[in-house]
Amino acid sequence: MLTVSVVLVCLAASLLLMQFLGMQRKRRQLPPGPAPLPLFGNLLQMKFQIHHDILNQMASTYGNIFTLWLTSVPVVVLQGYQAVKEGMTAHAEEVAGRPLSRAFKFLTNGNGVMFSNGHLWKQQRRFGLLTMRKLGVGKQSQECQIQEEARHLVQYLRNTKGKPVDPTVPVTHAVSNVISALILGHRFSIEDKRFLRLVEAVDDISAFTNSISFYVHDRLPWIATCFLTRCKKALASIRTMRALLEEEIESHKEKTDGNQDFIGYYLDQMAKSKEDAGATYDKANLTQNVFDLFLAGTETTATTLRWALLYMVAYPDVQEKVHKELDAVLGSSRLICYTDRKNLPYTNAVIHEIQRYSNIVLIALPRYTVKDTELLGFPIPKDTIVLVNIDSILSDPEKWETPDQFNPGHFLDKDGNFVHREAFLPFSIGHRACMGELLARLELFIIFCTLMQAFTFTLPDGVKEVNTKFVFSTTMKPPPHQLCAIPR
Ligand code: HEM
């Protein structure tokens, strides 16, 4: 018995030693970084989170490109505007992959657009962008739909009669209805149980992707799915979300009114390309695309809008200036269009600063090198994970005058005209940059302005301080709070 234990211990020690030597060999070929431990890599130093503060600390020691290890997997991090721009544009094609780790495979099976690769990803992305254009994103017809959701939101807040309200559900409702109308062809009522289940599922899946459970699942999937609550919850939510979306797809097959929404266009494309051997349009990809667009398009925009309202409460002088500009240019009732931003430089600057300062996606989705490449002079082998630290761009001291302050002046010249800033990259950069950027910009502008036209946002009576410290999650969320929407 003793001999068996000794053999097992020796075997484990030899495996660890071999892993360690392998990591050391690879380390010599990659950009510098902190020394990894066998088994854990740098996870202990990172407290099992890819936290921007820790990345920023590492960058101050190792420079604007460095390597850290998540268990035995090396990850190259790009830090600051210059490094990210160079890495993501000079070698855009080579860094356009997504790592299909076990955990991401569990989420997507490699289908859809967010975690697919190669020909499949290119075809699905091109189709998605084209279809969003056909569905009117960026045109007046689709703006009307955003205006309608903004009106519902105003009505909801009016009904609160200035009493304290947590804006999370109504704001998420407005945003997810914009994406639902585009993809599914209808909106949900705020009481609809399916809507509440979808929102809950999006929350559970997002919480899982940013937790220790996610890494454990990547290495030890059986243990994670059997014992870790967050993982079990995410699994149940993935099933719920898929089932709901599949129901929607089925109900489309009975429709005869053609291309009204993303599912309609996709079913049409599936029928057209049946004989095409290179086509990747099938039911699994349709379901995953709908899943991806819903997941990526709901929480991001809703979280940004929640920050917008909280900042208006925290910076009443900014809120007052926005009110003044809106009153002068649009009056109190005119419907707001995206083209109005040209006459609303201050409000436009405020919305940009809300995105910069709230910085909701601190680290972009992971990238993967699909070929051997070179980043900032370092050779990077094929199949290496690359992370873009978006936080380090949006708070790069070389690019922003007051990176740690909420300052709409970052986007204004001395005459008060709006100025675009090259380091404003909340949607990332390169071939895998956000697919919903235009839609998100339209939603943020129209919904924010409509709300500001209708209300002054204040703290509830008796609450003295505004807490703007974010809650660390997949998107950085405002802390739980209530505010009052006082009709103007
Ligand atoms: C304020 C709102 C939003 C922000 C800040 C945001 C940000 C991002 C970021 C940082 C990425 C990762 C890019 C990379 O890998 O370099 C991304 C990817 C993506 N976003 Fe967004 N996003 C927003 C809204 C939306 C909306 C409304 C949609 C849906 C229409 C959407 C769909 C996607 C998709 C499909 C991807 C994956 C693209 C690919 O892998 O090719 N996003 N987004």
Side-chain angles (χ1 to χ4, degrees):
M1 191 64 190
L2 190 65
T3 343
V4 175
S5 311
V6 171
V7 170
L8 284 177
V9 169
C10 288
L11 198 67
S14 321
L15 284 174
L16 281 181
L17 184 69
M18 271 163 58
Q19 190 193 57
F20 183 68
L21 292 176
M23 284 159 90
Q24 291 306 323
R25 190 171 22 84
K26 276 197 199 158
R27 271 188 85 201
R28 283 193 283 277
Q29 294 151 12
L30 288 165
L37 291 173
L39 215 59
F40 290 104
N42 301 114
L43 276 181
L44 295 179
Q45 276 154 288
M46 298 166 66
K47 301 193 180 81
F48 289 90
Q49 273 182 346
I50 304 182
H51 197 292
H52 62 296
D53 281 348
I54 296 173
L55 299 188
N56 294 343
Q57 271 168 27
M58 288 181 180
S60 62
T61 312
Y62 300 102
N64 56 6
I65 178 165
F66 58 91
T67 308
L68 50 86
W69 294 74
L70 304 181
T71 64
S72 57
V73 180
V75 173
V76 172
V77 180
L78 291 173
Q79 181 84 9
Y81 172 74
Q82 216 48 51
V84 170
K85 178 150 188 248
E86 199 182 317
M88 289 292 127
T89 53
H91 303 277
E93 190 69 35
E94 289 101 308
V95 290
R98 291 266 189 239
L100 194 55
S101 66
R102 232 189 237 125
F104 286 126
K105 207 165 184 176
F106 165 74
L107 278 179
T108 71
N109 255 330
N111 290 323
V113 67
M114 220 174 355
F115 285 100
S116 56
N117 277 306
H119 170 66
L120 189 150
W121 162 68
K122 275 192 188 153
Q123 201 169 57
Q124 301 294 322
R125 182 169 167 117
R126 202 177 314 120
F127 177 82
L129 285 168
L130 197 71
T131 306
M132 280 205 266
R133 261 209 301 279
K134 284 187 189 158
L135 289 168
V137 176
K139 296 193 193 129
Q140 214 179 354
S141 56
Q142 203 260 334
E143 279 190 25
C144 293
Q145 199 252 320
I146 304 177
Q147 288 160 349
E148 190 193 330
E149 289 310 325
R151 271 203 308 275
H152 281 287
L153 182 55
V154 166
Q155 195 49 49
Y156 181 97
L157 292 175
R158 261 195 221 294
N159 292 344
T160 64
K161 302 205 178 337
K163 297 223 173 71
V165 58
D166 176 348
T168 311
V169 173
V171 166
T172 308
H173 181 240
V175 168
S176 66
N177 265 339
V178 171
I179 200 92
S180 297
L182 271 178
I183 305 175
L184 315 176
H186 66 83
R187 66 187 302 276
F188 292 97
S189 106
I190 200 161
E191 287 90 25
D192 192 323
K193 289 207 171 65
R194 288 173 310 155
F195 159 71
L196 295 171
R197 269 160 57 207
L198 270 175
V199 172
E200 216 178 290
V202 168
D203 254 8
D204 288 344
I205 298 166
S206 299
F208 167 66
T209 53
N210 203 50
S211 66
I212 301 175
S213 313
F214 191 69
Y215 295 109
V216 178
H217 182 275
D218 216 30
R219 300 272 114 186
L220 307 162
W222 288 105
I223 293 187
T225 34
C226 292
F227 299 109
L228 300 182
T229 317
R230 200 162 252 183
C231 187
K232 283 198 267 185
K233 239 176 144 184
L235 187 60
S237 288
I238 291 168
R239 287 204 190 107
T240 306
M241 201 162 153
R242 284 231 169 89
L244 279 167
L245 297 176
E246 274 165 14
E247 256 173 45
E248 292 281 349
I249 292 170
E250 282 310 307
S251 72
H252 270 72
K253 289 188 181 157
E254 287 142 32
K255 277 191 185 173
T256 48
D257 52 359
N259 296 331
Q260 304 291 330
D261 51 47
F262 184 87
I263 296 180
Y265 272 104
Y266 202 102
L267 288 170
D268 203 34
Q269 184 66 31
M270 272 165 68
K272 275 190 208 150
S273 53
K274 253 188 191 151
E275 309 298 322
D276 177 355
T280 57
Y281 306 103
D282 56 24
K283 173 119 182 281
N285 273 299
L286 167 56
T287 312
Q288 195 57 46
N289 264 310
V290 173
F291 186 103
D292 289 353
L293 291 172
F294 208 90
L295 195 69
T298 303
E299 204 191 277
T300 43
T301 316
T303 303
T304 311
L305 278 168
R306 286 168 58 214
W307 277 116
L309 302 186
L310 194 62
Y311 290 148
M312 290 306 99
V313 173
Y315 303 99
D317 52 324
V318 174
Q319 175 163 211
E320 204 183 312
K321 282 191 195 160
V322 170
H323 280 150
K324 266 196 188 144
E325 191 180 61
L326 286 173
D327 291 349
V329 177
L330 301 177
S332 59
S333 57
R334 166 144 106 60
L335 280 183
I336 289 152
C337 308
Y338 193 48
T339 47
D340 289 326
R341 73 193 184 287
K342 294 184 183 137
N343 301 318
L344 295 165
Y346 186 76
T347 307
N348 198 16
V350 168
I351 295 170
H352 280 70
E353 182 64 358
I354 289 165
Q355 275 206 277
R356 185 196 74 81
Y357 194 64
S358 64
N359 194 0
I360 61 154
V361 185
L362 294 174
I363 319 278
L365 296 170
R367 302 286 192 94
Y368 206 49
T369 49
V370 292
K371 288 183 197 150
D372 287 349
T373 183
E374 194 188 275
L375 294 179
L376 282 79
F378 289 96
I380 310 287
K382 181 176 179 286
D383 296 342
T384 305
I385 297 178
V386 179
L387 288 187
V388 169
N389 183 351
I390 296 213
D391 172 64
S392 70
I393 314 171
L394 296 182
S395 54
D396 188 336
E398 295 193 359
K399 287 286 162 188
W400 305 98
E401 295 73 22
T402 53
D404 302 327
Q405 281 171 30
F406 182 75
N407 173 11
H410 285 138
F411 296 93
L412 293 168
D413 68 12
K414 61 179 181 2
D415 301 317
N417 299 310
F418 179 81
V419 277
H420 186 73
R421 303 291 299 261
E422 62 180 2
F424 179 72
L425 294 176
F427 299 99
S428 191
I429 184 171
H431 288 0
R432 297 244 27 169
C434 178
M435 247 178 84
E437 174 169 348
L438 178 57
L439 179 65
R441 282 173 178 269
L442 285 157
E443 289 183 81
L444 292 177
F445 185 80
I446 293 174
I447 298 177
F448 176 74
C449 290
T450 309
L451 289 176
M452 294 304 287
Q453 215 177 14
F455 301 105
T456 302
F457 290 92
T458 64
L459 277 180
D461 277 350
V463 181
K464 296 267 173 310
E465 265 184 54
V466 192
N467 176 7
T468 54
K469 200 166 168 14
F470 63 72
V471 176
F472 189 79
S473 180
T474 307
T475 57
M476 302 307 120
K477 296 189 176 119
H481 64 276
Q482 292 198 315
L483 40 77
C484 301
I486 313 294
R488 298 180 64 222

